Amino acid sequence: MIVIDCDRHIMEELGMWQQYLKPETLNGFEIRLETDSDEKREKRARDGFADVSLPPTYKVGDYDILSNWGLEMQIATALIESSSGRERSLAKTPAGQIVSMNETNISVALIFPTFTGYIVNHEKVDPKTSLQYAQAYNHWLQDFCSFDQSRLIPVGIVSRHDTRSLKQQVEEISKKGWRAITIRPEPILGKNLSHPDNEAFWQACEDNDIAVTFHGGTHLQGQTVGIDRFTSRFSLHACSHVMEAQMAFIDLLEGGVLERHPKLQFVFLEAGCSWVAGLLWRLDNICYNEFPSLTEGNIKMHPSEYFKRQCWVAVEIGEPIADTLKAIGHEKLIFGSDFPHPDHLHFDLKQIAEELPELSQTQINDILETNPKRLFKL
């Protein structure tokens, strides 16, 4: 069975930035690590905290890369880090990625960043520096994936800080022969996805046949849903993926992006697919018909029809998918492992037939191979 992993991550090391960027051009936004010490550990233990060494804290200039990453979160991370140590180590190198893929029967993988998205989309980083980080990452990723171009498929990242640069960024990525980019679903510096300043960006993606993948994540220094009312990992993590995916689709729909760019393909990752059925039912049966004069300019058919025409979504092993299958079929479902992130390591691809009994073997094969091949032109 051929398996295409549509959401596989690398673990970027500090040295990559030193190799691909000149520090003097970063306006004080260099990446650095704050490491733990024996003295800090001893003080924490005296204060009643667990006696463990903490992982390094990432900084961009004087700012934390991650929001709401306080002491309790750092300790919790340290307590579970050993459970994914080998996976995170393998994710740092292309050779390690291939070793892990062979062990888990992954034939081809689309490669996504881990830390870079938090840097490029950081609300305190200036637009010029954000763009430099995006371009440097793409340069590094090209070299990373050249280790085995038939199995490691790069997904480019773009900086949305300066919307005037978006068209050129897409064209540069397209010239590399890449077929997909990844962006955050939330507003960046106050501009949501359907903001008029993004129109040239969507046109460039459509003209260059670039699929747009949305990959949310908890702890962004930015405008992620839930950040205004929660501070805990539990609540922020519950909101950041699924709710942002839903709002991204609504934004693209009501803002007319889907209507104006019918050939543009959008991909929702790490949010599961079970949210799709409920949202589309509500949009079709309540929101769409309520005040037609308010939506007729940008929404000319049922929202579910736009989704079935232009949107793809990654399935989580074990989630309830019967309603989503009924709503959109299996043809727009793909699979992503989220390797090596620990919140997904307990999902076993070998159990997909058992954990998703609604699917036939033919449908499983389509989700794992046929659908991603069609989507990403593999």
Side-chain angles (χ1 to χ4, degrees):
M1 180 171 62
I2 293 177
V3 178
I4 298 173
D5 186 350
C6 297
D7 180 18
R8 194 174 190 86
H9 294 265
I10 48 164
M11 296 293 290
E12 306 94 318
E13 295 195 276
L14 190 63
M16 63 175 281
W17 304 118
Q18 298 167 350
Q19 182 180 355
Y20 287 84
L21 281 172
K22 296 179 179 179
E24 62 269 20
T25 69
L26 296 177
N27 300 319
F29 287 104
E30 299 88 355
I31 301 300
R32 59 188 177 87
L33 299 179
E34 285 191 355
T35 56
D36 199 14
S37 67
D38 292 339
E39 292 78 12
K40 292 178 181 178
R41 178 174 176 173
E42 291 170 0
K43 182 180 185 305
R44 291 195 301 272
R46 291 195 300 270
D47 292 341
F49 292 99
D51 186 12
V52 293
S53 294
L54 301 184
T57 300
Y58 278 79
K59 298 273 189 176
V60 53
D62 295 328
Y63 300 100
D64 291 336
I65 285 183
L66 303 177
S67 69
N68 293 292
W69 199 260
L71 179 57
E72 291 186 353
M73 187 65 213
Q74 294 174 51
I75 292 173
T77 301
L79 291 173
I80 68 167
E81 260 203 342
S82 59
S83 65
S84 61
R86 181 174 182 269
E87 288 83 2
R88 287 182 288 108
S89 179
L90 290 174
K92 293 178 180 179
T93 67
Q97 289 279 359
I98 295 299
V99 167
S100 176
M101 289 165 63
N102 289 341
E103 291 175 350
T104 52
N105 297 314
I106 302 294
S107 308
V108 177
L110 280 84
I111 304 299
F112 286 80
T114 292
F115 296 112
T116 302
Y118 290 101
I119 303 167
V120 169
N121 294 293
H122 198 295
E123 64 183 6
K124 298 297 185 181
V125 175
D126 68 85
K128 181 180 178 182
T129 307
S130 170
L131 177 59
Q132 286 191 80
Y133 273 111
Q135 292 173 329
Y137 170 81
N138 289 337
H139 184 186
W140 173 81
L141 182 63
Q142 187 172 31
D143 292 342
F144 186 98
C145 293
S146 68
F147 180 83
D148 190 337
Q149 297 182 54
S150 66
R151 300 187 67 187
L152 302 174
I153 309 300
V155 177
I157 194 169
V158 299
S159 167
R160 288 167 54 199
H161 275 43
D162 183 355
T163 50
R164 295 170 299 179
S165 71
L166 286 168
K167 180 176 183 291
Q168 182 178 349
Q169 290 184 68
V170 172
E171 291 172 349
E172 289 175 356
I173 288 171
S174 180
K175 288 178 182 178
K176 296 177 185 292
W178 299 359
R179 305 268 35 96
I181 59 171
T182 183
I183 61 174
R184 299 277 310 201
E186 54 267 90
I188 299 296
L189 299 189
K191 292 182 179 181
N192 60 346
L193 297 170
S194 63
H195 191 283
D197 290 353
N198 287 325
E199 184 60 23
F201 170 54
W202 301 125
Q203 189 64 58
C205 291
E206 186 175 37
D207 290 344
N208 289 278
D209 199 16
I210 298 289
V212 179
T213 71
F214 292 110
H215 200 303
T218 314
H219 305 294
L220 176 71
Q221 296 281 11
Q223 199 177 334
T224 304
V225 63
I227 198 99
D228 58 337
R229 67 182 75 180
F230 301 122
T231 59
S232 71
R233 165 69 180 186
F234 178 88
S235 295
L236 292 172
H237 196 53
C239 296
S240 59
H241 292 76
V242 177
M243 294 181 188
E244 282 292 351
Q246 292 175 314
M247 289 190 289
F249 176 72
I250 293 170
D251 188 0
L252 296 169
L253 177 70
E254 186 179 36
V257 177
L258 292 164
E259 173 62 31
R260 292 190 299 274
H261 303 283
K263 295 181 181 179
L264 193 49
Q265 300 295 298
F266 296 98
V267 189
F268 298 94
L269 297 170
E270 207 183 320
C273 71
S274 52
W275 58 270
V276 172
L279 178 65
L280 293 184
W281 182 89
R282 186 171 188 83
L283 294 178
D284 278 1
N285 294 281
I286 297 179
C287 303
Y288 179 61
N289 297 314
E290 187 178 18
F291 295 109
S293 64
L294 300 179
T295 57
E296 60 185 4
N298 286 336
I299 309 176
K300 298 182 183 300
M301 57 185 182
H302 282 85
S304 61
E305 294 303 310
Y306 287 102
F307 198 99
K308 287 184 283 189
R309 184 178 75 182
Q310 294 176 248
C311 297
W312 307 70
V313 60
V315 62
E316 304 270 23
I317 296 174
E319 70 172 319
I321 65 170
D323 288 342
T324 295
L325 286 174
K326 183 178 179 181
I328 65 170
H330 79 283
E331 293 84 0
K332 289 301 185 75
L333 301 183
I334 57 177
F335 166 77
S337 71
D338 195 41
F339 174 89
H341 298 161
D343 60 339
H344 279 66
L345 290 179
H346 61 288
F347 294 122
D348 188 350
L349 184 59
K350 295 178 183 178
Q351 298 177 348
I352 189 169
E354 176 183 345
E355 294 292 331
L356 295 172
E358 302 93 339
L359 297 172
S360 68
Q361 189 59 52
T362 297
Q363 290 174 320
I364 290 174
N365 291 342
D366 285 346
I367 291 169
L368 297 181
E369 178 186 3
T370 307
N371 297 350
K373 278 185 174 179
R374 182 160 51 96
L375 167 60
F376 295 113
K377 313 296 190 299
L378 300 178

